[in-house]
Amino acid sequence: MEKHELVIIGAGPAGLSAAIYARRAGIGTLVLEKGRPGGQILTTSRIENYPGLPEATGASLAEALRAHALSFAPRFMTGSVQKLSCCGADRIIELKDGSRITARAVIIASGAGFRRQGCPGEGRYTGLGVSYCAVCDAAFFEGLEVAVIGGGNTAVEEAVYLTGFASRVYLVHRRDTFRADSLAVERALANPRIVPVMDSVLEAIEGSDVVERILVRNVRSGEQRRIPVSGVFIFIGTLPHTEFLEEGLLRTKEGGWIVTDESMRTSVPGIFAAGDVRDTPLRQVITAAGDGARAAMAAYGYLHG
Ligand code: NAP
């Protein structure tokens, strides 16, 4: 069984920042990632609130973070975590391929993934018009009409991005005001290709072989209406990637978000959490990076204190 001083689960902004700080502190560090390093920002078109990088795209920032972390030579390994548990002072990580790794300390930086709507048609048409990633799929909808579901920053900002391809973007939100930042909302509402559909919920996604229309219901009037669209982009928030935690191992909040203190310490000594997977009021690239730095320093204190 491989043994490491520190294992970081996840190579998004939190995990990669933690790797930079851990390696600079001389900690032997393994970074485990199930896919391409970068995390959720890989699916983000534009990032305009990371200080110092006003023109960043998600992909460019992910690559810069990866290259920066690599320069401090942590070990990277591709692997999907099946289970995290404890055995005395050892933290045990089981991978889906059956291998096991032990670590003296672990930083969970596994992030969060999209939430599904759960309406009829969503599963059937995923990949056939239903998408959770505008950067990945917008180009398929050149000159076509699409719907975006949600009222947070992701929905509002990705709706604007989609207008670079689609001829019209219906922005369907369940309330009469958006949750997104006012600047993002102003920009979206000023865009002639965006048509807000307020106070409305998505009831069904319909079509034949591919998506052809959505059924929405106005929550105030109860009126139902069908809107012809070729694509549906669902951005209704995120859920933490914590399915690998042994039941009851760590203190979590409703929904599975991991509870930490200000130093990113979880309820179990030697296990830290950083970034979007944490119970935190603000989930941004900058807060994830800051969390990663603090988690690495707390891990250093745990390992060498
Ligand atoms: P979010 O802020 O949680 O917003 C989710 C949106 O989906 C809300 O408008 C919510 O409606 C709606 N919603 C939730 N469940 C729904 C359901 N079952 N049916 C219909 N609508 C539903 O999620 P997010 O936009 O993905 O953002 C996640 C985090 O990343 C946030 O902290 C956000 O600020 C951050 N973020 C920041 C930026 C940026 O700063 N540039 C960009 C992207 C994301 P209600 O409003 O009614 O609750």
Side-chain angles (χ1 to χ4, degrees), residues 31-59:
V31 181
L32 268 176
E33 171 60 53
K34 65 180 173 198
R36 188 173 147 208
Q40 272 194 91
I41 56 171
L42 287 171
T43 63
T44 305
S45 47
R46 232 177 110 197
I47 294 173
E48 59 180 20
N49 53 3
Y50 194 83
L53 297 174
E55 302 291 326
T57 63

Side-chain angles (χ1 to χ4, degrees), residues 156-178:
V156 169
E157 292 177 14
E158 297 308 289
V160 172
Y161 176 75
L162 279 160
T163 61
F165 303 83
S167 57
R168 184 174 293 167
V169 178
Y170 294 97
L171 183 51
V172 180
H173 181 37
R174 65 182 176 183
R175 292 189 291 126
D176 62 352
T177 50
F178 289 102

Side-chain angles (χ1 to χ4, degrees), residues 121-130 141 205-213 229-231:
E122 182 180 18
R124 174 170 176 201
Y125 290 113
T126 294
L128 297 169
V130 173
F141 299 95
I205 300 166
E206 301 171 342
S208 50
D209 290 344
V210 293
V211 169
E212 290 175 356
R213 62 196 163 269
V229 289
S230 304

Side-chain angles (χ1 to χ4, degrees), residues 26-271:
I27 303 173
T29 303
L30 171 72
V31 181
L32 268 176
E33 171 60 53
K34 65 180 173 198
R36 188 173 147 208
Q40 272 194 91
I41 56 171
L42 287 171
T43 63
T44 305
S45 47
R46 232 177 110 197
I47 294 173
E48 59 180 20
N49 53 3
Y50 194 83
L53 297 174
E55 302 291 326
T57 63
S60 69
L61 186 52
E63 177 49 29
L65 287 167
R66 187 192 68 87
H68 194 170
L70 265 181
S71 72
F72 288 102
R75 209 180 129 206
F76 275 88
M77 184 194 273
T78 304
S80 194
V81 179
Q82 172 85 27
K83 189 172 167 194
L84 172 64
S85 57
C86 286
C87 180
D90 282 341
R91 314 285 160 249
I92 316 283
I93 297 149
E94 289 175 37
L95 300 184
K96 287 194 176 152
D97 66 6
S99 57
R100 282 155 73 98
I101 296 167
T102 60
R104 288 178 58 209
V106 169
I107 296 175
I108 302 169
S110 46
F114 55 77
R115 175 184 282 143
R116 288 179 188 268
Q117 179 80 77
C119 70
E122 182 180 18
R124 174 170 176 201
Y125 290 113
T126 294
L128 297 169
V130 173
S131 172
Y132 304 86
C133 174
V135 175
C136 317
D137 296 327
F140 295 119
F141 299 95
E142 185 80 52
L144 300 174
E145 301 196 354
V146 302
V148 165
I149 316 299
N153 274 313
T154 306
V156 169
E157 292 177 14
E158 297 308 289
V160 172
Y161 176 75
L162 279 160
T163 61
F165 303 83
S167 57
R168 184 174 293 167
V169 178
Y170 294 97
L171 183 51
V172 180
H173 181 37
R174 65 182 176 183
R175 292 189 291 126
D176 62 352
T177 50
F178 289 102
R179 178 177 294 273
D181 301 340
S182 55
L183 196 64
V185 174
E186 269 173 40
R187 192 181 291 148
L189 297 183
N191 189 313
R193 291 192 178 195
I194 292 184
V195 180
V197 181
M198 307 305 283
D199 290 319
S200 297
V201 291
L202 177 66
E203 295 228 301
I205 300 166
E206 301 171 342
S208 50
D209 290 344
V210 293
V211 169
E212 290 175 356
R213 62 196 163 269
I214 54 171
L215 176 67
V216 297
R217 179 174 51 85
N218 185 295
V219 292
R220 288 181 192 267
S221 67
E223 186 196 333
Q224 285 187 318
R225 120 184 213 220
R226 286 189 165 78
I227 304 175
V229 289
S230 304
V232 186
F233 288 82
I234 299 175
F235 299 123
I236 58 169
T238 53
L239 294 171
H241 288 310
T242 49
E243 59 288 343
F244 54 81
L245 292 179
E246 187 180 57
E247 204 177 329
L249 177 68
L250 301 181
R251 199 175 145 222
T252 55
K253 273 276 176 69
E254 195 188 333
W257 308 99
I258 298 174
V259 176
T260 69
D261 67 8
E262 283 193 355
S263 300
M264 309 299 130
R265 289 184 292 226
T266 69
S267 53
V268 172
I271 301 184

